[in-house]
């Protein structure tokens, strides 16, 4: 499995004529060698790899790391990179430009005066876009856990409880069901707050007749889930019900359109043109969705600006919404695996409008 993942690096050695790749992003490190700790680096050549860590992580690395020689760094990690570059005669090393700070880059430049440091661009950020079966299993597991937690707290959503009460109950349910934590700060946005696509749970008390948008996800074994429901507390006005029906139909159409070969821009357009046709286009301001995996938001992005094309094995969210300032909003979201036959939804809560 890790061998297959490493094989995705080959084209970068060729494209940039590199001797080695220096991987410092912890998600990429976990993906490529299995280490789940919070500090370390991976130096990879075409046929070898070294995992560098300090003594706090040596035992954990010995337990988790596959396919890399573990090098404990006595002093600063970059000195070990310098030593390995000298020993092996490396003169071109690629690094992850989007995960390297300016100060770390300066330090590398000073310490490695005879090595060309080559920026790996956005194409490198796409190495995790297509998931393997192990990853799809992990994503399905955390999605199911998270959906079950939401279903078990639905009954406690009623007038008089606060948005924060719901967020806390949901997080507790996830932990009880085995989650390592939450995937992000949940969005619980009720009534007019629903117009904020990223309205984090507040101490606002839910009133009868309000819609409540809950965007939630769990984290397990490094993998994230992401799902959104909008429920009605009491009887909402007819416009709210109409908006929910439009968003849900746009969501359903987009999920039906998921297949390998469709461009992410075109998929976004399926939902966007439906919402626009109903007169609400100006109220759908964000992209249709995003890739999900070891990060909550990763490649590919589904938006009018996206240049990516869906491929089998990608796992993406579909999350159209309508947000009307001063009125409120609706979003529904599912996580979908792109298979040869189309989209397979792994989040489990029905997206009908629940009246609580
Ligand atoms: Zn979400
Ligand atoms: Zn999302």
């Amino acid at each position: 499995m890790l061998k297959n993942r490493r094989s995705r690096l080959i084209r970068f050695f060729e494209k940039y004529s590199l001797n080695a790749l220096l991987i410092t992003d912890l998600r990429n490190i976990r993906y490529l060698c299995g280490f789940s700790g919070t500090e370390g680096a991976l130096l990879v050549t075409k046929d070898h790899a070294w995992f560098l860590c300090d003594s706090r992580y040596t035992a954990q690395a010995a337990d988790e790391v596959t396919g890399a020689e573990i090098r404990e760094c006595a002093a600063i990690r970059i000195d070990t990179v310098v030593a390995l570059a000298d020993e092996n005669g490396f003169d071109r090393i690629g690094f992850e430009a989007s995960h390297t700070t300016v100060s770390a880059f300066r330090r590398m430049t000073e310490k490695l005066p005879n090595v060309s440091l080559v920026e790996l661009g956005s194409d490198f950020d796409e190495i995790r876009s297509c998931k393997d079966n192990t990853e799809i299993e992990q994503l399905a597991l955390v999605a199911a856990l998270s959906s079950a937690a939401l279903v078990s707290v639905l009954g406690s959503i009623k007038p008089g409880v606060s948005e924060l009460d719901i967020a806390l109950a949901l997080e507790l349910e996830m932990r009880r069901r085995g989650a390592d934590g939450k995937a992000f700060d949940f969005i619980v946005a009720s009534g007019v707050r629903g117009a904020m696509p990223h309205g984090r749970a507040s101490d606002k008390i839910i009133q009868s007749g309000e819609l409540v948008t809950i965007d939630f996800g769990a984290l397990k074994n490094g993998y994230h889930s992401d799902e959104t429901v909008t429920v009605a507390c009491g009887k909402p006005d007819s416009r709210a019900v109409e908006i929910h029906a439009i968003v849900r139909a746009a969501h359903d159409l987009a999920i039906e359109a998921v297949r390998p070969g469709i461009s992410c821009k075109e998929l976004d357009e399926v939902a966007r043109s439906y919402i626009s046709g109903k007169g609400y286009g100006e109220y759908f301001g964000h992209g249709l969705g995003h890739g999900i995996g070891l990060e909550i938001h990763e490649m590919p992005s589904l938006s009018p600006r996206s240049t990516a094309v869906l491929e089998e094995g990608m796992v993406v969210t579909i999350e159209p919404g309508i947000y009307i300032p001063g009125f409120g909003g609706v979003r529904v979201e599912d996580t979908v695996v792109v298979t040869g036959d189309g989209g397979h939804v792994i989040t489990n809560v029905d997206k009908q409008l629940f009246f609580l």
Side-chain angles (χ1 to χ4, degrees), residues 11-211:
R11 68 186 172 99
F12 297 97
F13 289 107
E14 281 156 14
K15 182 174 173 188
Y16 299 105
S17 309
L18 303 173
N19 309 118
L21 289 169
L22 178 62
I23 310 291
T24 53
D25 176 71
L26 290 166
R27 280 74 52 108
N28 285 339
I29 289 173
R30 186 170 192 160
Y31 180 73
L32 293 167
C33 78
F35 178 71
S36 70
T38 50
E39 249 189 81
L42 189 66
L43 190 67
V44 191
T45 68
K46 269 185 182 168
D47 47 24
H48 197 75
W50 295 270
F51 177 72
L52 318 181
C53 63
D54 65 53
S55 59
R56 292 171 300 167
Y57 293 102
T58 313
Q60 183 179 353
D63 200 31
E64 293 180 340
V65 170
T66 312
E69 184 184 330
I70 297 163
R71 282 278 173 116
E72 188 179 298
C73 310
I76 1 175
R77 215 162 41 220
I78 190 70
D79 288 343
T80 308
V81 177
V82 173
L84 287 169
D86 282 348
E87 271 169 43
N88 295 281
F90 298 155
D91 60 0
R92 283 180 71 81
I93 299 180
F95 71 98
E96 302 150 297
S98 48
H99 299 291
T100 303
T101 62
V102 174
S103 56
F105 177 68
R106 280 205 190 113
R107 209 162 41 241
M108 287 198 291
T109 316
E110 281 164 20
K111 295 265 185 182
L112 293 157
N114 302 319
V115 172
S116 300
L117 295 166
V118 181
E119 282 187 34
L120 300 173
S122 58
D123 52 348
F124 192 77
D125 297 333
E126 291 165 10
I127 56 165
R128 303 197 317 258
S129 291
C130 287
K131 274 65 185 174
D132 51 44
N133 288 341
T134 314
E135 294 190 284
I136 291 171
E137 268 169 34
Q138 290 293 332
L139 284 162
L141 182 81
V142 69
L145 176 160
S146 173
S147 296
L150 190 273
V151 168
S152 71
V153 304
L154 274 180
S156 61
I157 302 174
K158 48 181 176 255
V161 305
S162 74
E163 294 171 352
L164 271 172
D165 290 335
I166 296 169
L168 282 171
L170 187 51
E171 187 179 350
L172 191 63
E173 267 308 318
M174 286 178 179
R175 297 299 292 252
R176 276 202 185 113
R177 290 164 190 272
D180 297 328
K182 53 185 178 177
F184 51 89
D185 282 335
F186 302 151
I187 290 157
V188 183
S190 60
V192 291
R193 291 192 78 248
M196 292 190 290
H198 277 184
R200 281 209 314 232
S202 74
D203 55 8
K204 177 186 172 295
I205 304 293
I206 291 164
Q207 311 291 325
S208 182
E210 287 183 335
L211 293 186

Side-chain angles (χ1 to χ4, degrees), residues 129-131 133 136 139 254-255 257-262 264 267 290-291 300 302 309-318 335-346:
S129 291
C130 287
K131 274 65 185 174
N133 288 341
I136 291 171
L139 284 162
I255 288 179
V258 168
R259 59 175 165 78
I262 189 171
C264 294
L267 187 57
H290 52 87
L302 277 53
V309 173
L310 284 192
E311 291 174 47
E312 194 168 344
M314 285 181 172
V315 180
V316 297
T317 68
I318 300 291
T335 299
V336 183
V337 179
V338 183
T339 74
D341 300 330
H344 171 62
V345 179
I346 55 172

Side-chain angles (χ1 to χ4, degrees), residues 258-273:
V258 168
R259 59 175 165 78
I262 189 171
S263 76
C264 294
K265 182 183 156 85
E266 197 184 332
L267 187 57
D268 175 278
E269 184 57 23
V270 169
R272 198 166 301 280
S273 60

